[in-house]
Amino acid sequence: MLPGGAALAKRVLVTGGAGFVGSHVVDALLGRGDHVLVVDDLSTGDTGNLPATVDLLELGVGGYSFRREAKKFQPDAIVHCAAQASVAVSMQRPAFDAEVNVVAGLNVLVAAAESGCRKFVYINTGGALYGQPQYLPCDEDHPIRPISAYGLSKWALECYLGIVLPRFITPKVLRLANVYGPRQDPNGEAGVVGIFGLQMLQNSQVKIFGDGEQTRDFVHVGDVAQAVCLALGSEMALTVNIGSGTALSVNELFQKMAGSAGYTKQPEYHPERPGDVKHVVLDCRRAEKLLGWRAATPMEQGLRHTLEWLRASGIEARQ
Ligand SMILES: NC(=O)c1ccc[n+]([C@@H]2O[C@H](COP(=O)([O-])OP(=O)(O)OC[C@H]3O[C@@H](n4cnc5c(N)ncnc54)[C@H](O)[C@@H]3O)[C@@H](O)[C@H]2O)c1
């Protein structure tokens, strides 16, 4: 038992555990001695993100097989990271986005109930949830008016938690800001830090959508994994924002990264993309109060660390 009577979860099923955020959650759980089962269809995830020894089922979470495997594993907790995680893709393919984030997500809730697990951590978005903010920073009580299909589908599953999960399962919702760090796919549709980083290291043209004055809240993925561990250690139902609480414009991010990467070209500006909010920064005081969590990684250090990983990974730009 932890101080305060919180028991550590011992058997944890992580959906989407081969992805960017999920694989860091897996590392943190393995690091504290948990038995982890990763279920991932590898649609955007990569086995290279995981230690070779981890139990991995290459499986979609939307079908009966997933429910059968979850029941067999008998988890104490499920951390649901699997998702279609790109705002741009959600605007191009909203039905696909909803199939993954809502319909397959509902199957995960049913699986949680059937498996008898006691805790369910839902990895939601904070950055795309609140819409164009009425005030900043957005706390958890800010009106929820997503302007992207992604924001809406992620919100829909959060609403279903209270309806579909039985009372013996304690739900924990983490609404994440813009996560960055090693393993974020720099060729993906999401994750400006990884995208800029690769473009800078290859000395190719960095593109900024909009005027670059849009602001975001960047949180390091290691801090997010820590928040998941703390949420699992708590006995309380909770909904908390997880971010740095600091706004940084995309132009400022560009300058910071260019300095670190030794990139000397000017960025190229393109029209803003549908579904992107102008400003967002999260008020994370509730996570500090309820979980004792706050973002700990200084941005300069996190960016340096991400650039080092990109250099070492040898990833090439996809044409
Ligand atoms: N990266 C961010 O900035 C950010 C911010 C807020 C919230 N989130 C949330 O964090 C979670 C992880 O996002 P990410 O950035 O790591 O993206 P990611 O694409 O790297 O991870 C998603 C993982 O889910 C897997 N997956 C997708 N559909 C699946 C399915 N039907 N069955 C099984 N596995 C499936 C993918 O293969 C991948 O490994 C998502 O829920 C996302 O909404 C991410």
Side-chain angles (χ1 to χ4, degrees):
M1 295 286 259
L2 288 174
L8 279 180
K10 288 290 178 226
R11 298 175 67 79
V12 187
L13 191 160
V14 182
T15 72
F20 164 51
V21 172
S23 65
H24 286 272
V25 170
V26 168
D27 284 347
L29 296 174
L30 291 174
R32 62 177 208 171
D34 287 351
H35 181 181
V36 176
L37 174 66
V38 172
V39 182
D40 197 302
D41 67 0
L42 302 181
S43 51
T44 54
D46 190 329
T47 53
N49 289 336
L50 290 168
T53 49
V54 79
D55 292 330
L56 166 68
L57 284 175
E58 188 179 337
L59 187 67
V61 295
Y64 173 71
S65 313
F66 172 69
R67 303 215 315 265
R68 188 187 58 221
E69 294 298 334
K71 206 167 170 182
K72 216 185 324 170
F73 182 63
Q74 295 192 311
D76 296 305
I78 293 181
V79 182
H80 181 41
C81 298
Q84 185 306 105
S86 156
V87 169
V89 169
S90 82
M91 299 305 276
Q92 291 148 12
R93 302 177 63 197
F96 166 68
D97 176 81
E99 266 167 38
V100 179
N101 292 356
V102 185
V103 180
L106 276 168
N107 197 52
V108 177
L109 303 191
V110 172
E114 291 173 350
S115 75
C117 81
R118 298 287 157 164
K119 295 179 182 180
F120 189 91
V121 178
Y122 176 46
I123 302 299
N124 200 359
T125 170
L129 189 70
Y130 300 110
Q132 304 292 8
Q134 291 182 4
Y135 57 85
L136 289 168
C138 295
D139 56 21
E140 294 81 357
D141 298 322
H142 185 283
I144 294 177
R145 297 199 185 119
I147 61 164
S148 63
Y150 167 74
L152 182 57
S153 65
K154 295 289 293 184
W155 170 229
L157 197 70
E158 183 176 323
C159 296
Y160 274 114
L161 293 181
I163 295 169
V164 174
L165 286 184
R167 293 175 69 118
F168 63 79
I169 301 181
T170 308
K172 288 136 193 312
V173 178
L174 305 188
R175 295 178 178 167
L176 313 185
N178 277 65
V179 189
Y180 75 98
R183 302 185 196 146
Q184 189 161 35
D185 180 3
N187 281 306
E189 293 282 348
V192 64
V193 170
I195 295 169
F196 279 10
L198 186 62
Q199 289 167 338
M200 287 178 181
L201 292 180
Q202 300 194 330
N203 203 30
S204 56
Q205 184 58 59
V206 171
K207 290 182 192 158
I208 293 181
F209 296 98
D211 62 7
E213 288 307 302
Q214 63 273 38
T215 50
R216 297 287 180 267
D217 178 330
F218 293 97
V219 62
H220 190 267
V221 68
D223 292 335
V224 171
Q226 194 50 35
V228 172
C229 289
L230 290 168
L232 284 170
S234 134
E235 297 302 313
M236 215 190 285
L238 43 89
T239 299
V240 290
N241 286 337
I242 297 293
S244 67
T246 305
L248 193 73
S249 76
V250 171
N251 285 331
E252 287 167 329
L253 176 74
F254 172 86
Q255 293 303 340
K256 276 187 196 291
M257 290 189 70
S260 243
Y263 182 80
T264 51
K265 291 184 179 163
Q266 289 308 306
E268 199 175 84
Y269 289 89
H270 290 254
E272 63 186 51
R273 294 183 301 186
D276 283 342
V277 296
K278 183 77 182 165
H279 298 290
V280 66
V281 57
L282 302 183
D283 181 334
C284 301
R285 284 176 296 179
R286 196 191 279 179
E288 185 163 6
K289 188 162 164 237
L290 299 183
L291 295 176
W293 178 91
R294 68 187 305 180
T297 309
M299 186 89 195
E300 270 73 18
Q301 183 189 316
L303 291 177
R304 212 174 334 109
H305 187 196
T306 308
L307 285 167
E308 280 162 15
W309 174 82
L310 273 169
R311 258 191 214 103
S313 72
I315 296 174
E316 299 279 336
R318 229 173 10 234
Q319 296 308 312

